[in-house]
Amino acid sequence: MAIHSTIPKRILIIRTSAIGDVIMASPMVAALADRYPNAELFWLLEPHLEALVSSNPNIHGVVAFPKAEWKRLFKERRYRDLFYAIKSMRDKLRDLKIDLAIDVQGLAKSGIWAWLSNAKRRVGFISKEPTKIFMTERINKPKNDPEISSEYKAMAKYLGCNTESFYMDIHISSSDKTYVATKLQEWLPFPGGIDQFAKVSGQIQINEDKINQDKINQDTHRYNSRVKQAAKAENSGANLPYLVICPFTTRPQKHWVNSYWRDLIKQISIHFGLPVLVIGGPDDHSNATKIVAELANAKSLCGELSLIQNIEAISKAKALIGVDTGMTHAGIAKSVPTVALFGSTRPYLVTRVEQTEVLYLNKSCAPCKRNPSCNGTFDCMADISVPSVMMTLSRILNSSSNTNNVRSAS
């Protein structure tokens, strides 16, 4: 812990992107508010992510970092406009009179804003990039720490914060909650698909001998029968539980196989009798449509909801299955029972949230991050089987005392 005599009145957190990283950095807000109860907290990030922090009562303001707009100006060779846009943002930062700037991104493009803020104290991470010139203090990131948000926890601890209750925290406005609740009543049950789904009650039990990869392709008759039975149920769709899947992320080596998702959705219908909502952004709509095609118990919400509304829909789910993507981390932040599928990346293995498990094969080449060596086969993800995911899903739904054991996905 660093001892500093000056108590800051205004603090700037810098984590400009991406969705998952902002979510995992979110415990910093409560930790800093507790450490400095009279300070005003600000967050600098890209405009499309503002909703992740703007409703937090401990955040006094958001500073937008319009990276996409600046890229456009540069591409159009509007250098004068770009210069004045950057100058305007610098002036806005200086008007805030920041005392303490905390760069938890650890890059030159983030560190420079700590420097431009004119904060007397500027704290960041030691990095391969030339961030030293922008900082007054730097610390090492923890190495090989399996806990979620470990680097942000290390920074909070360095700043003297209490990190015993260091949990991700996403606040959602009442208007977004109301909107999602209304839309869920429309979508559940699905128009033109299942009119009613039987409400799942009691313990969900799956026998391992009933689920194996060879049988999945033979389950079409059972799947169709389950759908017909569900359509006759008498329960109200507004109160039905549902599962969400989060299949989409930025890099192909982090994806699970599309056909696996389809098989998984069928198995969820057969064994749990639950509808499945596919969560993603507008750019994922086409791929999501392929996943849910002709599956009566599945609906894509890609492009239907805003970022923060997606998180609200996730928060009401009975469970989530997802890859290394921001929406999977959001499920854990909202304490939704979660099965996380990791391969080329392994952002964490321990979440400290009950009913959460990480399936990670720990191949010799993993985690390869941005440098896969498998010639596009992505075995670290392809070798995670549908049966292993189903068994894990059954286990977390039945467990009230699971403390995030990392299990073999074979």
Side-chain angles (χ1 to χ4, degrees):
M1 181 181 76
I3 298 175
H4 207 271
S5 58
T6 303
I7 298 176
K9 295 180 179 179
R10 293 195 161 193
I11 301 172
L12 178 68
I13 301 170
I14 304 172
R15 176 79 234 193
T16 64
S17 64
I19 296 171
D21 295 302
V22 171
I23 291 172
M24 286 190 280
S26 63
M28 291 286 299
V29 178
L32 287 166
D34 178 69
R35 175 73 174 88
Y36 303 109
N38 297 318
E40 294 182 351
L41 302 182
F42 300 85
W43 195 306
L44 187 150
L45 77 174
E46 293 180 33
H48 69 286
L49 303 180
E50 285 186 26
L52 292 175
V53 300
S54 59
S55 292
N56 190 315
N58 289 315
I59 290 290
H60 289 73
V62 175
V63 181
F65 171 49
K67 184 177 74 171
E69 172 67 12
W70 291 358
K71 280 187 174 181
R72 183 181 64 82
L73 292 176
F74 183 82
K75 187 176 181 179
E76 294 174 358
R77 298 185 179 181
R78 295 168 56 186
Y79 304 126
R80 180 184 176 86
D81 291 341
L82 176 60
F83 171 81
Y84 282 109
I86 295 173
K87 182 178 181 297
S88 176
M89 181 172 165
R90 182 206 65 179
D91 293 343
K92 288 178 182 178
L93 270 180
R94 292 186 175 180
D95 287 344
L96 292 177
K97 302 187 185 305
I98 299 297
D99 303 301
L100 169 61
I102 308 164
D103 174 23
V104 290
Q105 194 156 351
L107 302 175
K109 69 177 183 180
S110 56
I112 192 172
W113 293 110
W115 179 67
L116 289 174
S117 74
N118 260 3
K120 290 184 179 179
R121 188 182 185 196
R122 305 181 299 277
V123 187
F125 289 116
I126 295 172
S127 169
K128 294 179 180 179
E129 297 196 16
T131 60
K132 184 177 181 179
I133 58 174
F134 302 130
M135 300 298 155
T136 59
E137 303 163 52
R138 295 193 305 164
I139 67 170
N140 283 305
K141 288 184 179 181
K143 292 183 178 180
N144 301 318
D145 190 327
E147 188 174 329
I148 196 168
S149 299
S150 60
E151 61 199 80
Y152 309 111
K153 187 175 182 178
M155 177 61 77
K157 191 174 291 186
Y158 175 79
L159 294 168
C161 300
N162 185 337
T163 57
E164 289 184 8
S165 298
F166 200 76
Y167 293 100
M168 296 180 289
D169 190 19
I170 308 170
H171 292 257
I172 301 172
S173 69
S174 57
S175 60
D176 283 320
K177 290 181 179 181
T178 300
Y179 179 81
V180 172
T182 301
K183 298 305 287 186
L184 286 174
Q185 289 181 16
E186 295 177 13
W187 293 326
L188 297 171
F190 304 125
I194 301 170
D195 293 324
Q196 300 279 348
F197 254 98
K199 203 168 187 178
V200 173
S201 60
Q203 293 280 301
I204 298 171
Q205 298 292 346
I206 294 182
N207 295 324
E208 189 166 6
D209 60 354
K210 291 183 179 179
I211 303 179
N212 59 69
Q213 196 67 48
D214 293 335
K215 287 186 65 180
I216 283 177
N217 293 329
Q218 302 170 15
D219 273 332
T220 302
H221 175 71
R222 293 180 63 208
Y223 168 73
N224 290 334
S225 297
R226 181 63 172 171
V227 169
K228 291 177 182 178
Q229 291 171 8
K232 297 177 182 179
E234 297 179 356
N235 295 299
S236 169
N239 298 318
L240 290 175
Y242 58 91
L243 270 66
V244 295
I245 63 171
C246 301
F248 308 114
T249 185
T250 52
R251 302 194 293 275
Q253 61 266 34
K254 295 164 68 175
H255 288 159
W256 205 32
V257 184
N258 269 9
S259 62
Y260 290 8
W261 287 115
R262 287 180 58 79
D263 289 339
L264 180 67
I265 292 170
K266 289 181 181 181
Q267 292 296 312
I268 288 170
S269 175
I270 292 165
H271 295 281
F272 299 154
L274 290 172
V276 176
L277 299 179
V278 184
I279 298 291
D283 293 342
D284 302 316
H285 175 75
S286 177
N287 205 3
T289 300
K290 295 176 183 177
I291 289 176
V292 303
E294 300 180 359
L295 297 179
N297 69 315
K299 178 178 176 60
S300 167
L301 301 190
C302 297
E304 301 275 359
L305 298 173
S306 68
L307 170 60
I308 202 70
Q309 289 166 356
N310 275 333
I311 296 175
E312 172 62 12
I314 286 170
S315 74
K316 302 302 182 186
K318 192 172 183 69
L320 178 153
I321 307 100
V323 298
D324 180 10
T325 184
M327 293 298 94
T328 299
H329 313 322
I332 296 171
K334 287 297 183 181
S335 298
V336 175
T338 298
V339 181
L341 313 180
F342 295 163
S344 66
T345 55
R346 190 204 62 194
Y348 50 82
L349 295 175
V350 177
T351 68
R352 296 191 297 137
V353 176
E354 290 185 354
Q355 294 176 280
T356 296
E357 289 197 26
V358 173
L359 293 185
Y360 175 65
L361 290 177
N362 197 23
K363 298 249 181 196
S364 59
C365 55
C368 64
K369 299 182 180 180
R370 296 177 183 270
N371 302 294
S373 57
C374 57
N375 297 317
T377 58
F378 308 139
D379 301 324
C380 57
M381 294 298 290
D383 288 350
I384 299 177
S385 68
V386 173
S388 69
V389 175
M390 282 294 292
M391 291 302 299
T392 305
L393 179 60
S394 175
R395 185 163 53 244
I396 67 169
L397 287 175
N398 285 322
S399 172
S400 60
S401 59
N402 178 8
T403 54
N404 306 296
N405 295 319
V406 180
R407 300 175 185 265
S408 170
S410 58

